[in-house]
Amino acid sequence: MFKIHQIPALETNFALIIECDVTGEVALIDAPDAQPILDAFRDLDLTPTKIFVTHHHWDHVQGIDPLREHFDLTVFGPKSEAKDIKQLDVEVEPGAMLKFGDGHLTVISCPGHTYGHIAYFLPEQPTLFAGDALFSLGCGRMFDGPPDQMWAGLKRLRDLPDATQLYCGHEYTLSNGAFASTIDPDNKALEQRIKEAQSQINSGQPTLPTNLGSEKLANPFLRADQPLIAEKLGLSGKDPVETFAALRKAKDQF
Ligand SMILES: [Zn+2]
């Protein structure tokens, strides 16, 4: 079994601590800010040996150097972003299976937010660490694109089992939900998820993790190939890539 601890950092970021309770191995997904992560390791009495990085943005890597002053860490991250992540020890490629504890993390390519963004999936206990590729009710801003590759990456994440627990790099669910409901106003799954997220926020809880199966029903960015979404954007019958790109642009302007 793996235990996952979600650590809020900066304004909206999350770092994730993964603990294998068979081998005792401990790892971190992304390092937005060292202090809250150090506090969490101290409170949990855990010592990490690995960091798995999803992409090169500063709010995912700036904690690495200060954490290395406290721990002996091997840093894994996308090979294609090696020039932008100077701390990488192990450059990983999509499809790689990285041993962790008594299981492994598989590396899934999901570019678009950044050119080499990867996600990590733990098949032994279906869990997806999506970074900024996929959020609850949304997806990352498309800084690098292109839209066909970003859409292809989101479909790879959508192909994972419904029972998957989804962890993301940011707490954006309610603002994403506000946009999503303008696109897909009659979607009961979306309405339900927004209600759930609102009540989580009201009680001071994060809205993550969430269930990937319900995201598939509620998140418009995972539904860009649904005729209803295309119709809403005036793109009926067009390639879903066009719908995805229009959706992403509409969100940027929301
Ligand atoms: Zn980012």
Side-chain angles (χ1 to χ4, degrees):
M1 281 289 288
F2 297 86
K3 280 190 206 151
I4 295 153
H5 309 275
Q6 186 167 246
I7 315 303
L10 304 174
E11 292 277 303
T12 60
N13 285 77
F14 292 114
L16 284 320
I17 296 172
I18 329 172
E19 180 188 356
C20 173
D21 63 8
V22 175
T23 66
E25 191 171 18
V26 175
L28 182 69
I29 307 278
D30 287 339
D33 186 18
Q35 196 55 54
I37 296 169
L38 284 169
D39 293 346
F41 283 129
R42 185 200 56 222
D43 295 347
L44 295 162
D45 194 20
L46 296 175
T47 302
T49 54
K50 293 174 178 170
I51 300 184
F52 297 99
V53 176
T54 59
H55 66 295
H56 70 80
H57 282 161
W58 68 274
D59 61 326
H60 294 256
V61 300
Q62 68 168 356
I64 296 174
D65 289 335
L67 287 169
R68 278 189 145 158
E69 292 169 20
H70 298 263
F71 304 113
D72 187 10
L73 291 162
T74 304
V75 180
F76 297 72
K79 180 177 182 175
S80 60
E81 293 192 355
K83 70 177 166 61
D84 289 315
I85 311 173
K86 62 184 188 313
Q87 302 95 339
L88 284 193
D89 299 308
V90 183
E91 299 176 2
V92 305
E93 294 192 71
M97 290 172 50
L98 310 172
K99 192 171 160 31
F100 176 72
D102 68 343
H104 63 282
L105 292 167
T106 61
V107 176
I108 302 172
S109 171
C110 39
H113 175 69
T114 61
Y115 61 96
H117 194 298
I118 55 176
Y120 298 94
F121 179 63
L122 180 65
E124 288 83 4
Q125 183 176 308
T127 309
L128 173 61
F129 302 99
D132 291 358
L134 174 65
F135 298 124
S136 181
L137 305 184
C139 72
R141 193 174 275 265
M142 190 168 62
F143 288 112
D144 292 348
D148 62 329
Q149 287 189 25
M150 187 157 182
W151 171 238
L154 288 173
K155 282 196 289 181
R156 279 190 281 277
L157 303 183
R158 188 177 69 175
D159 284 343
L160 297 170
D162 284 354
T164 300
Q165 287 279 96
L166 169 65
Y167 286 87
C168 308
H170 291 269
E171 174 64 70
Y172 286 158
T173 309
L174 283 183
S175 57
N176 286 337
F179 169 73
S181 59
T182 67
I183 296 294
D184 204 4
D186 301 321
N187 184 334
K188 295 288 172 225
L190 173 58
E191 190 183 323
Q192 180 63 31
R193 173 62 179 141
I194 293 172
K195 268 190 198 152
E196 176 194 55
Q198 187 64 65
S199 104
Q200 288 167 318
I201 293 290
N202 290 349
S203 58
Q205 299 301 309
T207 66
L208 296 160
T210 189
N211 169 265
L212 186 63
S214 58
E215 268 314 296
K216 292 178 194 180
L217 299 174
N219 186 333
F221 291 92
L222 296 179
R223 291 164 45 76
D225 48 0
Q226 290 287 317
L228 256 178
I229 306 282
E231 190 186 326
K232 182 77 187 177
L233 293 159
L235 293 168
S236 289
K238 295 282 168 63
D239 191 310
V241 172
E242 284 188 46
T243 301
F244 170 73
L247 201 51
R248 190 51 266 179
K249 197 170 169 194
K251 173 68 168 69
D252 291 344
Q253 294 164 349
F254 182 67

